[in-house]
Amino acid sequence: MEFAELIKTPRVDGVVLHRPFMPTVEGTLCLTGHHLILSSRQDNTEELWLLHSNIDSIEKRFVGSLGSIIVKCKDLRVIQLDIPGMEECLNIASSIEALSTLDLVSLMYPFFYRPMFEVIEDGWNLFLPEDVFKDLESMTDEWRLSDVNKDFSVCPSYPPLVAVPKDVDDETLKKVATFRHSGRFPVLSYYHKKNGMVMMRAGQPLTGTNGRRCKEDEKLINATLRPGKRGYIIDTRTINVAQQAKARGGGFETEANYPQWRRIHKAIERSNILQESLIKLVEACNDQSHSMDRWLSKLEASNWQTHVKEILTTACLAAQCIDREGASVLVHGTEGTDSTLQVTSLAQIILDPACRTIRGFQGLVEREWLQAGHPFQQRCAQSAYSNSKPRQEAPSFLLFLDCVWQILRQFPCSFEFSESFLVLLFEHAYASQFGTFLGNSTAERTKLSLPEKTVSLWSWVNRPQELERLTNPLFEANSLVIWPSVAPQSLLLWEGVFLRWNRSSRCFDEAYDEMVHIIEYNKELQNKVNSLRRQLAELETEDPLLQTP
Amino acid sequence: MEHIRTPKVEQVRLLDRFSNKSTNGTLYLTATHLIFVESNSNNSTSAGQEVWILHHHIASVEKLSLTTTGCPLVIQCRNFRLVHFVVQRERDCHDIYSSLLRLLRPVSYEELYAFSYNPKQNDQQREEGWQLIDLGAEFERMGVPCDQWQLTDVNRDFKVCETYPRDLYVPITASKPIIVGSSKFRSKGRFPVLTYFYQEKKAAVCRCSQPLSGFSARCLEDESLLQAISKANHNSRFVYVMDTRPKLNALANRAAGKGYENEDNYSNIRFQFVGIENIHVMRTSLQKLLEVIGTRSLSMSDYLVGLESSGWLRHIKAVVDAAIFLTKAVTVEGVSVLVHCSDGWDRTAQVCSLGSLLMDPYYRTIKGFMVLIEKDWISFGHKFADRCDQLDGDPKEVSPIFTQFLECVWQLTEQFPQAFEFSEWFLLQIHEHVHSCQYGNFLGNNQRQREELQLRERTHSLWAFLMSEKQNYLNPFYSPAYADSHPVLAPSTLPYNFKFWRNMYHQFDRSMHPRQSILKTILTLRENSCKAESALQSLESRLQQLGVTPIVTSDPPAPPPTRDQRSSALPPRPDSLILGAPINHKEEHQRQDDDEQEEVGEEATESFDTERTVEGSSGTESRKQSYGELDGTYSSELAKEEPAVVSLEFGVARMTC
């Protein structure tokens, strides 16, 4: 298919662009296969380059022969293009609509994008399971790397290599896979170096209504317990939801069959409810009404903050079981691809200082989201402005980022990255020139040959100039476990995402610059003091007479 | 002292408000404070926590019914601290309870702490403290008196209006008979006077109380006074009259012979209601808010619903909206505005002061903010004694009007991080002392009363104290240049700009706060830079003495863009909350009292980098403690534990008061 077929009018002059808190720009609008470009052709005004895949929905309005297209983006920005000429406007609108809803992955921009920068480190090879496992091997010999899934036949959403207890062979794993949702048998998610406790994740057990059991499953998860120790199973669903799952062949681990495990149910909502919540929240944030009651009741009705609180609380609980209680943990929900990953990844942020560095956080996203089979393609197909009925869209990853931001707010000095890194990940998960978030699983990514045909987001991020932009100037390595407060009074609305386009950020940016300045000035001073001290010390050792009395 | 029956009770437990934690200790009752000292428990290496509660801060004491563990005593403070003690013996509890009941309700001003508080200053220092803020000079700064406005001596002896100050500014053309006539037509004699003069447009902000218009009464003198105010501004042919009340309230007042200006009787006025609710609504609203946020294991939904139904943020927004209306009228339209409510000492004070703050960058500095409070609140007779319940008075007169003002300012500081010289700590500290009755500034209801009490002779001024620790209250992001580019602030009042002020209403609930504070970190860095600057100087001069040119360029690094007097070292942060700074300051601060001179040449490089402790991260110590706690619950209902409790428990590594 040629993009040209979809582009009826490639170019319109005299288009006026309106963006919130920015001066309007008049210029020429161009449509390419992947971008909407507006250029004023003047030297100092910036151009607008908008990826079609970033467009969530559009609206058309006409006043006489002047048409306006309101473009609502997945990053929650809303812009308006005034286009002279009704026909041009209609053509542009229908082209945008067609181009922004292309279903075929191989037509996506990442396959056409050629980097304008030199790739220093190829992001596709940075976080391979075999390399990650080497670190684990240096700490414990209780785990092995199994290639039972090498052709993705045992579990289509798992990577080819997964860490499992050493004493469990591949045949057992295959049997366990038949007992777990989507073949997602329990695998290692995190090893807590301090006390050797582990966190595993899986899909729900397929006990069904007649209480099916699987000896191999019991054996597998018991193999992770030290003698005489017990563990926790954290089911991210409420007991009612878990009960209902039985009717559809799912279920949960019963005490009788798993006597060494204690099951805790939490209440993280399913994806369709989360998507609805996002839509409501964004609607509330864009409401220009001056009524305080209306805002607060809409914020409440969106339930977004409730989800944030619930997810954080569950993650704290998992971390608490591991660190405080010295127990191993198995986390699952239904499929084990959404709420499960939110919990396991956030627990690692709390427990493991390494995950709070830029590189470590990339590794965490890679391990616990991409390789763990979070279906990014499905979940991020549409964002909050979509008019089409949500299919499998859900802001699971955005909620995770929101929770990380909450912890970052409470421990502003303990993260190597700043808020902008989280915002960047949000943007790229929904629309990107990089291939990282394409596909739904490692299997799909392999099939699409993403590592060969596209550039990794990490290749771009891990360059000095980008890193500098994403670094938190306040960072000071903190090797401790960080326990956030989850009281509602301590959790805030993530303004950097949800109110980002509704206010001018100028004075906040200036204050931030001031902060960076204070920090740098202090560093510079300390360095000077230190070097003068050395100089003086050297003089004094050379000539003992100089020594101060 | 005669009220204290039991000065000391041992074996008292202090329960944490939001978790199941408790600490054991001893309770002491002194003439001014209730003090809880944690007993040095087995495994804690740190010194016991101390909680000091000034009697004046106590809003209520409640003795709950006896339980198996003892007799609970719940104390609620005006600075939003809530402590829950369990006293072992019922009789001790009762003694403390009845002593407190007596102590927290002083019947005469003489009993207030301010009259006994002695910060070791001599009379001259005290006198200087009181001279720090000079309102005469302030009006001069605004450009008054001028060709249109003059100082009148009509109230020299508080004869015309006893709740106004002696010095008042009125239009040149307003003669004494007009003023006196007008005052008789205004509630409590509070006739229209100048409170802020916007020099650029010669527009005035005036304030007064409601007219005694009833259904039809009119007063020619009052009409001429308004006319005079209008004429004093050549830029505009009319004045706005802002009635800050909801229209319904104003209408109801007519039946009582009060009311609002009839546009037909006054030439050239434009009348406007702005709808801020009265003191009773505000009091109930705050009570509701506190009830909601005091709930244990509060769900997000209940929190947001409670925030909405309390109406608190709606009221805050209403005040800010009114101030914006005032500011726009004066700075954009260049029109003079007369602001009133019922008596002109609550809503009027809020709107006038907040409006001035938006119009004039001076009020956004530390000194300027003191001046603003002194002018619009203290001197114009906001009834601090009644509103803050200083003496045992009418509970219906108590209302958080001033707290609301401080919160409005805080909301603005959140929107304009560079516009204010002071940080949140300054606002919190002022709030603390408005209720502490430790300084004379806020005692009484008006200037006349303060003079009678001889406060200037017998008490100390808060402003002098705050000024002496100015460094603690600086906002590191403050940019004086911002005032040049944004002399008038135009905040957005879309609802999402108003946030719950956690650091005020949960000031003492440490578990709710961020575990690391950017403000504190940056202030510490600035302090370090300060020290480094002087160290650098002394090192350089030492090297020069030795005849060596320092290797690094001897030019000092480019000075930071902040323009404060960084030469003087910071005064030590106070270590008691009540006597000193708000909670954030209290945190132990790693300071090296190092004499740089002596360290030269020694291996001092290490010690120079101030250590930063990570609060809230679990140290080994606290981890061990909670191990024990949790082992017991292993088989019990961990699943049932409420989320907030679960991780709040773990949020606090070590609780300090």
Side-chain angles (χ1 to χ4, degrees):
Chain A
M1 185 182 71
E2 285 294 317
F3 292 121
E5 293 166 17
L6 299 173
I7 304 172
K8 292 176 195 151
T9 305
R11 223 187 100 143
V12 189
D13 289 322
V15 174
V16 180
L17 165 70
H18 304 269
R19 285 176 291 186
F21 300 103
M22 285 172 130
T24 54
V25 182
E26 191 187 328
T28 304
L29 179 76
C30 297
L31 284 189
T32 73
H34 293 104
H35 284 96
L36 180 155
I37 304 160
L38 188 116
S39 163
S40 68
R41 301 201 174 160
Q42 271 150 22
D43 288 341
N44 44 7
T45 29
E46 66 164 308
E47 299 177 330
L48 172 80
W49 282 69
L50 190 66
L51 265 181
H52 292 316
S53 57
N54 189 7
I55 297 174
D56 211 19
S57 69
I58 60 167
E59 275 170 34
K60 291 165 291 218
R61 274 183 212 157
F62 289 97
V63 180
S65 67
L66 179 77
S68 294
I69 301 180
I70 294 152
V71 180
K72 299 182 172 181
C73 302
K74 290 179 188 162
D75 60 14
L76 308 182
R77 173 172 30 163
V78 178
I79 60 173
Q80 183 181 331
L81 296 163
D82 295 342
I83 299 171
M86 183 164 318
E87 200 193 325
E88 281 85 352
C89 184
L90 284 172
N91 284 348
I92 296 281
S94 70
S95 302
I96 295 178
E97 235 158 328
L99 289 164
S100 62
T101 49
L102 291 178
D103 269 340
L104 207 57
V105 182
S106 57
L107 290 179
M108 297 291 215
Y109 186 53
F111 289 96
F112 298 81
Y113 170 74
R114 290 294 159 260
M116 303 290 281
F117 58 89
E118 196 197 341
V119 176
I120 306 166
E121 271 180 306
D122 187 356
W124 288 113
N125 304 324
L126 274 184
F127 308 101
L128 300 175
E130 48 270 41
D131 295 338
V132 174
F133 188 73
K134 276 183 200 131
D135 293 341
L136 181 68
E137 258 181 327
S138 68
M139 297 184 276
T140 172
D141 58 358
E142 293 163 321
W143 296 81
R144 69 182 182 95
L145 206 54
S146 163
D147 63 355
V148 66
N149 197 39
K150 57 177 175 291
D151 51 5
F152 306 109
S153 59
V154 178
C155 172
S157 58
Y158 272 173
L161 295 172
V162 287
V164 293
K166 199 180 185 177
D167 304 331
V168 178
D169 59 30
D170 284 356
E171 283 316 303
T172 314
L173 293 178
K174 283 181 188 163
K175 282 190 190 132
V176 176
T178 62
F179 181 65
R180 291 275 172 181
H181 194 112
S182 308
R184 294 176 68 90
F185 56 88
V187 294
L188 180 74
S189 160
Y190 171 67
Y191 179 85
H192 197 43
K193 197 163 39 170
K194 199 176 81 196
N195 58 11
M197 292 301 128
V198 296
M199 178 160 58
M200 288 174 298
R201 51 178 158 75
Q204 65 178 341
L206 304 174
T207 56
T209 37
N210 48 11
R212 218 181 118 209
R213 68 186 283 190
C214 173
K215 292 274 186 203
E216 288 81 4
D217 188 70
E218 292 158 25
K219 185 187 157 207
L220 190 161
I221 70 164
N222 284 338
T224 65
L225 294 176
R226 302 251 166 100
K229 282 276 194 177
R230 299 211 290 176
Y232 286 95
I233 293 172
I234 296 179
D235 191 328
T236 61
R237 307 162 296 180
T238 60
I239 179 74
N240 286 338
V241 175
Q243 288 280 10
Q244 284 156 19
K246 282 184 176 173
R248 289 186 300 274
F252 51 84
E253 298 83 354
T254 53
E255 283 84 358
N257 299 341
Y258 299 84
Q260 284 153 292
W261 295 81
R262 209 183 119 62
R263 207 178 61 248
I264 301 173
H265 288 276
K266 300 300 288 181
I268 303 182
E269 291 288 356
R270 288 193 52 104
S271 32
N272 53 341
I273 292 175
L274 300 182
Q275 181 69 9
E276 212 173 285
S277 169
L278 173 68
I279 292 170
K280 282 189 188 160
L281 174 69
V282 172
E283 205 271 313
C285 291
N286 288 336
D287 189 336
Q288 296 297 298
S289 145
H290 265 274
S291 159
M292 180 63 74
D293 290 0
R294 186 174 155 131
W295 156 247
L296 287 172
S297 77
K298 277 184 154 188
L299 180 64
E300 192 272 322
S302 80
N303 271 325
W304 183 265
Q305 294 296 94
T306 302
H307 301 316
V308 169
K309 179 169 156 50
E310 195 58 40
I311 293 166
L312 261 181
T313 306
T314 312
C316 286
L317 182 76
Q320 175 189 327
C321 292
I322 293 170
D323 187 69
R324 306 263 172 165
E325 194 105 358
S328 285
V329 173
L330 169 68
V331 184
H332 70 74
T334 306
E335 299 92 343
T337 55
D338 290 277
S339 58
T340 306
L341 306 183
Q342 288 168 337
V343 173
T344 56
S345 54
L346 283 168
Q348 291 178 55
I349 294 275
I350 295 167
L351 294 170
D352 186 2
C355 293
R356 298 175 221 140
T357 64
I358 295 183
R359 182 64 71 108
F361 193 70
Q362 293 170 18
L364 183 75
V365 170
E366 188 73 39
R367 276 195 327 272
E368 291 301 302
W369 289 87
L370 291 159
Q371 294 171 12
H374 175 67
F376 276 100
Q377 183 96 37
Q378 290 173 355
R379 296 289 183 258
C380 302
Q382 298 285 324
S383 170
Y385 296 125
S386 168
N387 297 319
S388 51
K389 196 172 173 289
R391 288 159 297 175
Q392 286 162 311
E393 287 81 4
S396 308
F397 187 62
L398 176 57
L399 269 166
F400 157 71
L401 294 175
D402 194 330
C403 292
V404 176
W405 179 79
Q406 304 286 350
I407 307 178
L408 171 64
R409 280 291 299 225
Q410 296 189 24
F411 293 90
C413 308
S414 300
F415 288 79
E416 193 194 2
F417 51 87
S418 62
E419 177 180 353
S420 36
F421 188 39
L422 300 173
V423 176
L424 178 118
L425 289 176
F426 158 61
E427 290 171 340
H428 283 272
Y430 278 87
S432 175
Q433 66 268 47
F434 303 106
T436 300
F437 293 106
L438 289 185
N440 290 309
S441 61
T442 307
E444 284 190 32
R445 278 185 280 273
T446 312
K447 210 169 145 200
L448 290 164
S449 315
L450 289 180
E452 294 78 37
K453 291 186 179 166
T454 71
V455 181
S456 162
L457 172 63
W458 314 134
S459 305
W460 182 67
V461 165
N462 288 326
R463 295 170 313 132
Q465 51 273 58
E466 279 314 306
L467 287 176
E468 198 192 314
R469 196 174 67 82
L470 303 173
T471 302
N472 173 11
L474 291 164
F475 176 59
E476 208 150 287
N478 170 7
S479 61
L480 301 171
V481 176
I482 53 176
W483 300 105
S485 160
V486 296
Q489 295 96 316
S490 305
L491 302 178
L492 306 167
L493 177 70
W494 190 6
E495 300 181 1
V497 164
F498 298 110
L499 300 178
R500 183 179 177 192
W501 311 104
N502 299 347
R503 52 171 201 188
S504 162
S505 66
R506 220 182 104 206
C507 52
F508 298 100
D509 295 344
E510 281 170 9
Y512 185 84
D513 291 345
E514 175 68 30
M515 180 178 84
V516 173
H517 194 104
I518 293 170
I519 294 166
E520 272 165 9
Y521 175 69
N522 184 58
K523 269 191 203 144
E524 200 179 329
L525 272 177
Q526 305 288 2
N527 287 341
K528 285 193 177 166
V529 168
N530 290 346
S531 77
L532 285 192
R533 282 208 171 125
R534 269 196 302 277
Q535 192 186 1
L536 196 61
E538 277 161 23
L539 283 176
E540 279 163 354
T541 33
E542 279 165 27
D543 187 353
L545 287 177
L546 279 174
Q547 229 148 39
T548 26
Chain B
M1 289 305 274
E2 70 270 24
H3 310 304
I4 301 172
R5 284 193 241 166
T6 313
K8 178 180 171 187
V9 183
E10 283 174 337
Q11 298 280 313
V12 173
R13 272 191 310 134
L14 171 62
L15 307 184
D16 186 80
R17 203 177 159 194
F18 293 103
S19 73
N20 297 319
K21 279 190 176 170
S22 67
T23 35
N24 285 313
T26 309
L27 204 57
Y28 298 89
L29 193 58
T30 76
T32 53
H33 289 84
L34 178 71
I35 306 160
F36 174 81
V37 182
E38 186 189 342
S39 16
N40 267 339
S41 52
N42 32 10
N43 52 0
S44 92
T45 46
S46 53
Q49 158 204 2
E50 280 182 25
V51 179
W52 285 58
I53 297 170
L54 191 64
H55 297 327
H56 299 315
H57 269 145
I58 300 178
S60 72
V61 192
E62 226 185 321
K63 198 165 71 102
L64 306 182
S65 48
L66 196 67
T67 67
T68 47
T69 49
C71 191
L73 191 67
V74 179
I75 297 173
Q76 198 149 16
C77 301
R78 299 185 206 289
N79 52 9
F80 309 113
R81 185 203 280 273
L82 191 137
V83 282
H84 192 150
F85 293 116
V86 178
V87 184
Q88 257 188 355
R89 287 185 5 189
E90 215 255 334
R91 231 196 67 206
D92 290 336
C93 186
H94 186 79
D95 281 353
I96 300 254
Y97 173 73
S98 44
S99 303
L100 281 178
L101 274 192
R102 178 63 193 84
L103 287 165
L104 71 88
R105 296 249 174 271
V107 284
S108 79
Y109 283 105
E110 318 293 320
E111 291 176 55
L112 294 178
Y113 187 32
F115 292 97
S116 56
Y117 173 64
N118 183 2
K120 301 198 186 81
Q121 280 184 350
N122 59 36
D123 284 352
Q124 197 203 338
Q125 284 168 313
R126 183 218 306 262
E127 190 48 38
E128 282 168 10
W130 281 109
Q131 282 160 2
L132 188 66
I133 306 294
D134 175 357
L135 288 185
E138 170 55 13
F139 279 95
E140 257 171 59
R141 189 193 66 86
M142 295 178 205
V144 177
C146 61
D147 59 342
Q148 295 296 333
W149 294 87
Q150 65 176 352
L151 177 66
T152 171
D153 60 0
V154 68
N155 203 38
R156 263 291 128 83
D157 308 311
F158 301 113
K159 287 235 170 79
V160 178
C161 173
E162 58 172 19
T163 59
Y164 267 173
R166 290 179 189 271
D167 291 344
L168 293 166
Y169 297 81
V170 292
I172 296 253
T173 51
S175 64
K176 266 184 199 172
I178 287 182
I179 293 173
V180 174
S182 165
S183 82
K184 292 193 170 127
F185 186 62
R186 293 274 167 183
S187 184
K188 308 283 196 300
R190 295 170 68 91
F191 60 93
V193 293
L194 181 81
T195 177
Y196 181 70
F197 187 63
Y198 188 67
Q199 242 174 323
E200 205 182 307
K201 299 250 165 108
K202 307 277 178 226
V205 178
C206 298
R207 55 184 288 174
C208 62
S209 61
Q210 65 184 336
L212 304 175
S213 51
F215 291 101
S216 58
R218 55 189 288 187
C219 165
L220 291 176
E221 290 92 341
D222 193 62
E223 289 159 27
S224 348
L225 184 51
L226 262 70
Q227 179 83 344
I229 291 172
S230 177
K231 288 255 166 72
N233 180 357
H234 301 306
N235 280 324
S236 169
R237 291 199 312 205
F238 65 92
V239 290
Y240 279 111
V241 175
M242 254 176 100
D243 190 326
T244 56
R245 299 168 294 183
K247 188 172 182 187
L248 212 63
N249 299 24
L251 280 171
N253 262 301
R254 285 166 62 173
K258 300 166 191 171
Y260 56 91
E261 292 81 355
N262 183 341
E263 270 181 296
D264 298 339
N265 297 341
Y266 292 83
S267 46
N268 309 323
I269 68 161
R270 289 201 188 162
F271 189 83
Q272 177 81 35
F273 286 114
V274 286
I276 302 173
E277 298 288 350
N278 65 24
I279 59 166
H280 312 293
V281 175
M282 300 308 191
R283 179 180 55 241
T284 322
S285 171
L286 182 61
Q287 270 163 4
K288 273 192 203 156
L289 178 78
L290 295 177
E291 225 168 85
V292 170
I293 62 168
T295 316
R296 285 178 67 154
S297 326
L298 181 63
S299 78
M300 183 58 82
S301 190
D302 288 347
Y303 167 65
L304 291 172
V305 167
L307 208 54
E308 182 198 333
S309 68
S310 76
W312 184 253
L313 288 177
R314 174 159 46 87
H315 300 315
I316 297 291
K317 176 170 150 57
V319 176
V320 178
D321 274 328
I324 290 174
F325 178 89
L326 169 66
T327 305
K328 278 198 181 139
V330 171
T331 61
V332 180
E333 294 182 61
V335 182
S336 295
V337 184
L338 174 64
V339 184
H340 72 73
C341 47
S342 295
D343 289 321
W345 48 44
D346 294 308
R347 292 168 269 207
T348 301
Q350 287 178 328
V351 174
C352 290
S353 56
L354 205 60
S356 312
L357 185 91
L358 291 174
M359 288 181 234
D360 193 334
Y362 174 64
Y363 296 129
R364 297 171 223 147
T365 63
I366 287 184
K367 173 85 182 286
F369 193 65
M370 295 174 178
V371 169
L372 184 67
I373 293 175
E374 188 74 32
K375 173 169 72 76
D376 271 314
W377 292 87
I378 296 174
S379 96
F380 275 118
H382 173 68
K383 302 201 291 173
F384 279 105
D386 291 357
R387 298 292 179 259
C388 303
D389 207 14
Q390 289 170 356
L391 298 185
D392 194 11
D394 181 357
K396 286 216 171 69
E397 283 285 309
V398 181
S399 188
I401 301 303
F402 187 71
T403 308
Q404 275 186 326
F405 164 68
L406 291 178
E407 174 164 342
C408 291
V409 176
W410 176 78
Q411 302 281 2
L412 294 175
T413 64
E414 286 286 289
Q415 264 193 59
F416 303 99
Q418 295 169 286
F420 292 83
E421 190 192 5
F422 48 85
S423 71
E424 176 182 48
W425 294 353
F426 186 54
L427 301 174
L428 291 173
Q429 185 72 313
I430 292 174
H431 184 262
E432 179 84 7
H433 284 296
V434 164
H435 292 96
S436 73
C437 301
Q438 185 175 340
Y439 296 93
N441 308 58
F442 301 103
L443 301 193
N445 283 323
N446 50 57
Q447 292 299 56
R448 185 191 159 144
Q449 218 174 4
R450 285 182 197 108
E451 284 183 25
E452 282 166 11
L453 289 167
Q454 295 174 295
L455 293 176
R456 277 175 166 255
E457 292 74 39
R458 299 171 61 200
T459 71
H460 295 265
S461 167
L462 172 65
W463 305 135
F465 164 70
L466 291 180
M467 207 46 112
S468 73
E469 8 179 78
K470 185 180 171 188
Q471 297 286 340
N472 285 341
Y473 306 118
L474 292 176
N475 164 20
F477 307 118
Y478 174 57
S479 155
Y482 193 85
D484 300 332
S485 54
H486 302 79
V488 178
L489 296 183
S492 159
T493 59
L494 279 169
Y496 51 68
N497 289 300
F498 294 87
K499 294 172 224 160
F500 170 68
W501 192 5
R502 182 186 52 212
N503 287 0
M504 171 65 94
Y505 305 107
H506 283 302
Q507 216 181 126
F508 297 90
D509 304 314
R510 290 287 305 275
S511 59
M512 301 258 177
H513 293 223
R515 307 303 196 254
Q516 296 169 325
S517 144
I518 296 179
L519 177 59
K520 208 181 109 184
T521 310
I522 294 295
L523 283 178
T524 311
L525 277 179
R526 290 251 307 247
E527 202 176 328
N528 289 349
S529 294
C530 227
K531 284 188 200 158
E533 272 167 1
S534 61
L536 201 61
Q537 261 180 4
S538 64
L539 278 164
E540 274 168 2
S541 63
R542 173 95 179 107
L543 281 165
Q544 264 151 16
Q545 272 173 26
L546 298 171
V548 190
T549 343
I551 8 172
V552 227
T553 159
S554 53
D555 302 330
T562 35
R563 311 91 195 143
D564 309 294
Q565 314 86 318
R566 44 178 62 247
S567 49
S568 64
L570 295 189
R573 300 229 168 105
D575 50 21
S576 157
L577 181 70
I578 302 308
L579 304 174
I583 189 144
N584 315 51
H585 297 214
K586 243 224 82 185
E587 291 158 9
E588 280 302 316
H589 193 80
Q590 299 266 341
R591 55 174 57 251
Q592 282 92 27
D593 296 317
D594 42 8
D595 185 348
E596 307 301 339
Q597 289 291 1
E598 288 188 3
E599 277 193 4
V600 173
E602 292 173 20
E603 283 186 10
T605 25
E606 292 276 342
S607 73
F608 203 79
D609 301 318
T610 303
E611 285 173 47
R612 216 189 288 166
T613 48
V614 182
E615 301 127 29
S617 313
S618 58
T620 340
E621 208 56 56
S622 57
R623 221 177 284 141
K624 270 183 193 153
Q625 278 177 320
S626 49
Y627 255 30
E629 277 173 34
L630 271 162
D631 276 347
T633 63
Y634 184 83
S635 53
S636 73
E637 286 295 287
L638 186 62
K640 268 195 181 171
E641 256 186 276
E642 271 306 314
V645 180
V646 170
S647 33
L648 276 182
E649 288 251 0
F650 297 104
V652 205
R654 189 173 72 89
M655 214 184 98
T656 45
C657 81

